[in-house]
Amino acid sequence: MKYVIIGGVAGGASAAARLKRIQEDAEIVIFEKGEYISYANCGLPYYIGNAIEDRRKLFVQTPVSFGNRYDADVRTLNEVIAIDRVRKVVMVKNLRNGKEYEESYDCLLLSPGAKPVVPKLPGIDLPHIYTLRNVPDCDHIKQRALEQLRDGAAVVIVGGGFIGLEMAENLHRIGYKVTIIEKSPHVLAPLDVPMAVIVQKHLCDNGVTVKTNCSLTGFKEDEGRLMVCTDGQEELPCDMAILSIGVRPNTELAQNCGLKIGESGGVLVDEYLRTSDEYIYAVGDVVEFTHPVTGKPYCNFLAGPANAQARIAAMNMVYPESVRYSGSVATAIAKIFDLTAASTGLNERQLQKLGMPYQTLITHPWPHANYYPGGEQIHMKLNFNPENGRVLGAQAVGRQYVDKQIDVISLLLKHEGTIFDMINSEHAYAPPYGSAKSPVMFAGMVAENIMAHLMNPIQAEELDQLLDQAEDIQLVDVRDIQEYKTGTIAHAENYPLDELRELMEDLDPNKKTVVFCEVGMRGYVAARILMQSGFTEIYNLIGGMKTYRLIGKHNRG
């Protein structure tokens, strides 16, 4: 059996290795138009920032070592330019000498990845405008960064996604003045506002300039420097610009040979990662599949799912329809200076666009026992279906143990898990490593309280709307007097939780009442006291003052 693979790295190289492990006599030919077959593309920003000093460590295998280990014919700098599905051959161009030739196949795997989005704007072809997708891109950025490094050296990063923020940190690390422009209201589109603003503040605290609601309009040169032009008529001088706007599936080959393209723009594959041609499979950034939560067509651009798909596709190429792919919930994570930001599943914007019912909550749990030294609260946001408790998405930001929480919730998402599964999840616990009630369990418990109507949540944005409209409400701050004096919400009165039972006679039980504390826990206890004491309309501010300080408009003190 002869297998031809188009593209290396996470998809193609992983599939080739799996193929050889399950079928030793397989004939495998890998075509890669670049020079490298297997490298750590997620590590490229860290090489630019010198966190990885040895360039050789980026390479998992060389073409020679990979070919020797897996008995594969690895042809780098050979670009597949066409596929003839009837004859079952690919047309290939040798980029070293320009010659073209054909190669036959019994079964074909497409893994051409994605292309960076490069908008057609004035000046886009000027020097020193880069994207980062592969090793040559990395080398060009690294060379330019070293050549221009001096006092006042500046870079503008267009786009505040995960890669853009990783580049911001790493270029700042080596001495660059970094400006991020982002056309959306906040950085990190997968995150909802309360989580994204934490990251944004951290970037600014570390010396990175962040300009949101700011769109790129073009580039020009002025006295030898590159000028980044924005829709606010501002021109940002820099020594280089990095486009981190996004990517699109590289479907040119698939389209030209007549394979079906899906609604979201990727190559349409079935549950076995088989395309509309039974002899052609596809994996990685190029494919479209069904989202496990929404049931809608979806493209995902992450290395983890690409590796998983490669293994499954290889099995099905040898043993057709033997292993199903369950899809991806887009679990992603990034290091941003001292913070970690991670997400999985759907955010509020996506849920609203799909018209799916959801409830959201914010918690600020300790990742391990708060009496054990060295701990620091993390910030978590959970989106769930209030009708059946199904988990829809989650986000977390913090300095430690963020990945642990998101990984657990990601697994639940893939298996249609609910908040009740979160409550019943079991975590390794000892004071240095966790809490008796893990952050995942705790978020599930808060969600259960909401579903059971033991607590009526109100979000910071909803409270601001009430205050903007001058609605007649009681705002009750149940923190201690010392906390209250450090600052509170406008018009709030202090009724410390431990004195609430004695003081609540001063409150009107028939008036809409919002209680709040620092993170939400004491607010919940206060709400339960008041709800069971004849108060008719009680709300607890989700995330408490810790969240409201970040996004609320009516802070006092």
Side-chain angles (χ1 to χ4, degrees):
M1 191 77 167
K2 183 177 181 180
Y3 302 98
V4 167
I5 297 173
I6 301 174
V9 201
S14 298
R18 181 64 174 169
L19 279 169
K20 203 63 181 182
R21 286 194 290 267
I22 59 179
Q23 191 177 37
E24 174 59 26
D25 62 353
E27 182 182 354
I28 300 172
V29 182
I30 306 174
F31 292 106
E32 168 56 54
K33 69 177 181 179
E35 189 177 348
Y36 308 99
I37 188 68
S38 181
Y39 60 89
N41 51 359
C42 294
L44 299 179
Y46 300 98
Y47 170 64
I48 291 170
N50 292 334
I52 299 170
E53 295 182 353
D54 187 347
R55 183 177 179 276
R56 293 171 298 180
K57 290 186 177 180
L58 295 172
F59 301 99
V60 181
Q61 294 273 3
T62 67
V64 172
S65 67
F66 190 93
N68 290 339
R69 176 165 296 182
Y70 297 107
D71 188 26
D73 183 355
V74 180
R75 303 182 196 175
T76 56
L77 295 174
N78 276 254
E79 181 180 6
V80 175
I81 55 177
I83 301 169
D84 187 331
R85 292 166 50 200
V86 176
R87 297 170 53 223
K88 294 176 71 173
V89 298
V90 295
M91 277 64 79
V92 186
K93 182 176 182 179
N94 186 321
L95 300 180
R96 291 182 174 89
N97 56 28
K99 293 182 178 179
E100 296 181 5
Y101 63 97
E102 292 183 348
E103 190 75 33
S104 64
Y105 65 85
D106 295 312
C107 194
L108 179 68
L109 178 70
L110 284 173
S111 180
K115 292 181 177 180
V117 174
V118 180
K120 294 180 179 179
L121 292 172
I124 194 68
D125 295 323
L126 287 171
H128 314 310
I129 300 171
Y130 304 100
T131 59
L132 180 62
R133 286 291 295 172
N134 52 41
V135 174
D137 291 343
C138 177
D139 288 340
H140 292 147
I141 295 171
K142 178 90 170 181
Q143 181 179 354
R144 178 66 178 175
L146 293 175
E147 288 174 350
Q148 297 299 310
L149 187 56
R150 66 189 187 287
D151 287 343
V155 60
V156 173
I157 296 173
V158 183
F162 283 108
I163 295 175
L165 298 197
E166 288 174 346
M167 285 299 297
E169 176 188 351
N170 281 284
L171 286 166
H172 182 276
R173 177 202 297 272
I174 61 174
Y176 273 78
K177 177 184 177 183
V178 179
T179 299
I180 298 170
I181 64 171
E182 168 57 55
K183 70 176 181 179
S184 300
H186 61 78
V187 298
L188 288 184
L191 302 190
D192 291 320
V193 173
M195 299 292 106
V197 294
I198 299 170
V199 175
Q200 206 158 295
K201 182 178 183 300
H202 189 67
L203 285 164
C204 295
D205 289 346
N206 280 276
V208 174
T209 300
V210 180
K211 297 179 179 290
T212 55
N213 294 307
C214 181
S215 295
L216 174 71
T217 58
F219 300 90
K220 64 182 184 179
E221 285 184 314
D222 184 19
E223 296 182 356
R225 294 198 85 188
L226 182 67
M227 307 295 289
V228 179
C229 307
T230 71
D231 57 353
Q233 307 303 313
E234 187 175 13
E235 296 179 354
L236 305 171
C238 61
D239 298 286
M240 59 179 165
I242 296 173
L243 302 180
S244 184
I245 302 171
V247 296
R248 295 192 183 101
N250 186 4
T251 58
E252 185 176 352
L253 272 176
Q255 286 181 296
N256 290 344
C257 74
L259 294 178
K260 288 184 180 178
I261 305 299
E263 293 178 29
S264 60
V267 175
L268 190 64
V269 293
D270 63 13
E271 59 190 330
Y272 305 106
L273 297 167
R274 183 175 48 198
T275 69
S276 53
D277 184 316
E278 64 177 314
Y279 300 106
I280 302 178
Y281 291 74
V283 298
D285 294 351
V286 76
V287 304
E288 172 183 299
F289 48 84
T290 301
H291 193 288
V293 179
T294 68
K296 303 290 185 182
Y298 172 66
C299 289
N300 180 47
F301 307 108
L302 295 168
N307 274 283
Q309 292 163 15
R311 180 182 177 90
I312 291 169
M315 285 294 294
N316 290 322
M317 291 167 77
V318 178
Y319 306 108
E321 299 187 5
S322 59
V323 184
R324 291 180 170 87
Y325 179 56
S326 61
S328 166
V329 291
T331 305
I333 193 166
K335 175 186 176 298
I336 302 124
F337 292 99
D338 298 326
L339 279 186
T340 300
S343 66
T344 187
L346 305 174
N347 59 29
E348 288 196 64
R349 178 178 51 81
Q350 292 168 314
L351 290 164
Q352 291 165 2
K353 184 177 180 180
L354 292 164
M356 297 176 66
Y358 75 94
Q359 178 60 264
T360 189
L361 63 88
I362 297 171
T363 59
H364 303 282
W366 290 86
H368 60 66
N370 60 7
Y371 57 81
Y372 188 86
E376 187 172 320
Q377 285 172 295
I378 60 177
H379 313 278
M380 286 185 62
K381 190 172 190 292
L382 177 71
N383 299 327
F384 65 99
N385 187 322
E387 298 169 2
N388 57 23
R390 184 174 179 183
V391 178
L392 301 174
Q395 302 148 33
V397 177
R399 295 178 187 268
Q400 51 187 193
Y401 303 114
V402 165
D403 53 339
K404 179 177 179 179
Q405 320 312 324
I406 292 300
D407 285 347
V408 171
I409 297 175
S410 172
L411 186 61
L412 291 175
L413 274 167
K414 291 289 293 286
H415 293 86
E416 301 185 13
T418 67
I419 63 164
F420 308 107
D421 295 315
M422 292 174 65
I423 295 169
N424 292 319
S425 61
E426 187 172 344
H427 301 248
Y429 164 59
Y433 303 106
S435 302
K437 292 178 183 176
S438 75
V440 170
M441 293 171 64
F442 185 73
M445 292 172 182
V446 175
E448 182 185 42
N449 289 337
I450 293 172
M451 285 188 65
H453 304 292
L454 294 174
M455 177 181 73
N456 298 316
I458 186 169
Q459 307 295 326
E461 299 94 329
E462 295 172 319
L463 176 57
D464 277 345
Q465 289 175 8
L466 296 179
L467 295 173
D468 288 343
Q469 296 162 7
E471 187 164 333
D472 188 19
I473 61 174
Q474 293 180 127
L475 266 175
V476 180
D477 186 337
V478 300
R479 296 174 300 161
D480 296 339
I481 183 66
Q482 293 83 1
E483 296 174 275
Y484 175 76
K485 287 180 177 179
T486 64
T488 187
I489 301 172
H491 311 299
E493 297 294 335
N494 186 219
Y495 290 78
L497 175 61
D498 294 341
E499 303 171 37
L500 182 60
R501 290 179 178 88
E502 289 75 34
L503 298 176
M504 67 182 178
E505 62 183 24
D506 296 334
L507 297 170
D508 184 346
N510 297 310
K511 186 180 285 189
K512 180 182 290 186
T513 303
V514 176
V515 298
F516 64 93
C517 62
E518 185 63 20
V519 298
M521 184 62 200
R522 284 175 289 176
Y524 167 62
V525 176
R528 292 303 302 149
I529 292 171
L530 296 176
M531 290 172 75
Q532 295 176 90
S533 299
F535 283 70
T536 57
E537 195 173 0
I538 302 293
Y539 298 88
N540 183 25
L541 179 62
I542 288 296
M545 279 300 297
K546 190 173 282 288
T547 294
Y548 193 84
R549 285 191 199 96
L550 292 166
I551 62 175
K553 299 190 298 183
H554 296 273
N555 288 293
R556 185 185 78 192

